[in-house]
Amino acid sequence: MPHQPASSALARFRVIDLTQVRAGPTCCRQLADWGADVIQVQMPEHMRGDDTLGGQDGSDYQYTHRNKRSITLNLKEPEGIATLKRLIAGADVVVENFRPDVKFRLGIDYESLAKDNPKLVYASISGFGQSGPLATRPGFDQIAQGMGGLMSVTGIPGEGPMRVGIPIADLCAGIFAAQGILVALLERESSGKGQWLHTSLLEAMVYMMDFQTSRFLIDGEVATQAGNFHPTSIPTGVYKARDGYLNIAVFGSKIWERFCNILGAPEWIEDPRYHDKASRDVNRDSLNAQINERLAAQDRSHWITQFNEGGVACGLISDMREVFAEPQIAHLGMVKEVVSARMGPQKLVGQPVQLERTPSTIARAAPRRGEHTEEILRELGIADTDLARMKATGVY
């Protein structure tokens, strides 16, 4: 079946996805969800490695590879490389996450491919960058979380570093790569030229440290763990009502006053221990203990209503079941439905950005390995007799 764009926004672009695992596939999913014709190039079934996110029937794989087509090519065979180059010659974008040296050894680096396709936008994603002392190290999400500083500020003080519960370095590297591709495609409209862009898990993680980096680079302050409480805005964090936990966020003096009044503690506004941000920082432990004492008088629903109606941000701490039971999530339409020919009806989370005129959807479920190989090769003009020969000789 020919390309079925998930949106008209990027439907004019073809993307060749040479990636594995998560960061690269995430990048390509972003483009596919906005309509690009993403062709996932995988090794033939008999040569495949452990690159499929829990197997092709797993929920992880189904989520990450929706809206793509799949082709198999044996890149250890000269004809496999030649066929790939033929495919890339008519493409707009290539995304790869090989070890930095592999693309040069295979002759599919940017400079080599740009000779035949000078408008090509070529994106590389790695663990630590394309050059430098750590460039050849294997990259992994949790390693980047640790080296990028995130684990040093995550977790309960005194209990050691803590990873976050999602592969945030992988995901951010993939999303930043997709953003870089879109910037390069926009620039191409004026210059007529493609270019090589690259990012890494480590760069993405350092960038995501955000205000913690400026606290160090500008103020010289090395952040430490603050547990469930915001390191600089107090009181902001996890508190316990009569029936469970909730989040409360108090930013600024006006909201602090609202918070105190709603909690029935207007005396805290003038209390020298709490009356300004610096004082609350010094006395945060005693303040948090008193807040929890007062919250214990009512259930979460009471406080969530009171605080939000009073202009203080407050919300549940939800597990996945509660997330998708939330009426606002349903209203936002984040859950999309698609039918997999192999696995039947599926529900998947769609894009978090809504374009009113050119929305994103899920047009097709994740493909089986090589599901569209012959379809795509025919689009290149390869005859059926050649397809039979290529299959028999292990090219795909």
Side-chain angles (χ1 to χ4, degrees), residues 19-35:
T19 68
Q20 302 179 51
V21 191
R22 191 179 307 278
T26 293
C27 168
C28 294
R29 181 196 64 211
Q30 294 300 102
L31 303 174
D33 279 2
W34 292 108

Side-chain angles (χ1 to χ4, degrees), residues 81-137:
I81 290 290
T83 304
L84 175 61
K85 288 182 176 179
R86 186 171 172 180
L87 186 62
I88 292 172
D92 298 281
V93 177
V94 167
V95 186
E96 61 88 14
N97 63 352
F98 299 120
R99 293 191 313 272
D101 63 308
V102 170
K103 54 184 166 288
F104 297 100
R105 178 163 50 82
L106 294 176
I108 53 172
D109 57 284
Y110 171 71
E111 294 294 339
S112 299
L113 297 174
K115 293 175 183 177
D116 293 325
N117 186 354
K119 292 187 175 183
L120 182 67
V121 171
Y122 189 106
S124 296
I125 306 172
S126 62
F128 300 98
Q130 295 298 305
S131 60
L134 302 184
T136 59
R137 277 193 185 183

Side-chain angles (χ1 to χ4, degrees), residues 304-347:
I304 290 170
T305 299
Q306 292 297 309
F307 282 126
N308 282 291
E309 289 182 354
V312 178
C314 179
L316 288 173
I317 299 172
S318 304
D319 63 21
M320 282 293 94
R321 182 179 292 103
E322 291 167 328
V323 168
F324 291 107
E326 167 59 55
Q328 184 66 19
I329 299 295
H331 172 78
L332 292 171
M334 292 195 70
V335 177
K336 309 294 184 185
E337 296 185 0
V338 68
V339 177
S340 166
R342 177 181 174 86
M343 303 181 67
Q346 295 179 341
K347 292 182 178 180

Side-chain angles (χ1 to χ4, degrees), residues 83-364:
T83 304
L84 175 61
K85 288 182 176 179
R86 186 171 172 180
L87 186 62
I88 292 172
D92 298 281
V93 177
V94 167
V95 186
E96 61 88 14
N97 63 352
F98 299 120
R99 293 191 313 272
D101 63 308
V102 170
K103 54 184 166 288
F104 297 100
R105 178 163 50 82
L106 294 176
I108 53 172
D109 57 284
Y110 171 71
E111 294 294 339
S112 299
L113 297 174
K115 293 175 183 177
D116 293 325
N117 186 354
K119 292 187 175 183
L120 182 67
V121 171
Y122 189 106
S124 296
I125 306 172
S126 62
F128 300 98
Q130 295 298 305
S131 60
L134 302 184
T136 59
R137 277 193 185 183
F140 188 79
D141 174 84
Q142 189 160 334
I143 305 301
Q145 286 193 36
M147 293 181 66
L150 180 62
M151 291 175 67
S152 74
V153 299
T154 305
I156 304 299
E159 294 188 5
M162 179 70 68
R163 69 179 290 274
V164 301
I166 58 170
I168 191 169
D170 277 336
L171 298 176
C172 290
I175 292 169
F176 290 152
Q179 181 184 36
I181 289 166
L182 296 177
V183 171
L185 289 172
L186 282 171
E187 191 279 337
R188 190 178 74 172
E189 293 183 358
S190 59
S191 70
K193 299 177 182 178
Q195 59 183 301
W196 184 26
L197 64 99
H198 40 89
T199 189
S200 66
L201 274 61
L202 183 60
E203 289 168 281
M205 202 69 273
V206 172
Y207 185 83
M208 288 300 293
M209 291 302 291
D210 196 71
F211 72 94
Q212 300 287 28
T213 65
S214 61
R215 289 176 72 190
F216 173 71
L217 294 173
I218 295 174
D219 302 328
E221 183 178 350
V222 178
T224 57
Q225 292 165 302
N228 282 321
F229 296 97
H230 195 280
T232 60
S233 179
I234 303 155
T236 293
V238 175
Y239 296 93
K240 190 172 185 180
R242 184 165 58 193
D243 64 340
Y245 294 95
L246 44 71
N247 274 316
I248 303 172
V250 178
F251 287 83
S253 58
K254 292 295 184 184
I255 297 178
W256 165 245
E257 292 176 8
R258 295 175 194 165
F259 172 77
C260 292
N261 287 320
I262 293 168
L263 202 57
E267 66 276 12
W268 291 355
I269 297 171
E270 301 300 331
D271 190 319
R273 297 173 299 169
Y274 310 138
H275 78 282
D276 60 21
K277 180 179 177 181
S279 300
R280 293 195 294 276
D281 189 9
V282 172
N283 297 290
R284 67 164 63 205
D285 290 342
S286 63
L287 175 60
N288 286 334
Q290 290 190 68
I291 291 171
N292 278 326
E293 286 181 13
R294 291 178 178 266
L295 290 173
Q298 297 286 347
D299 289 347
R300 292 177 297 174
S301 59
H302 168 84
W303 292 118
I304 290 170
T305 299
Q306 292 297 309
F307 282 126
N308 282 291
E309 289 182 354
V312 178
C314 179
L316 288 173
I317 299 172
S318 304
D319 63 21
M320 282 293 94
R321 182 179 292 103
E322 291 167 328
V323 168
F324 291 107
E326 167 59 55
Q328 184 66 19
I329 299 295
H331 172 78
L332 292 171
M334 292 195 70
V335 177
K336 309 294 184 185
E337 296 185 0
V338 68
V339 177
S340 166
R342 177 181 174 86
M343 303 181 67
Q346 295 179 341
K347 292 182 178 180
L348 302 169
V349 170
Q351 285 292 315
V353 179
Q354 307 298 326
L355 272 64
E356 289 291 329
R357 186 168 52 80
T358 58
S360 169
T361 187
I362 301 178
R364 67 165 90 220

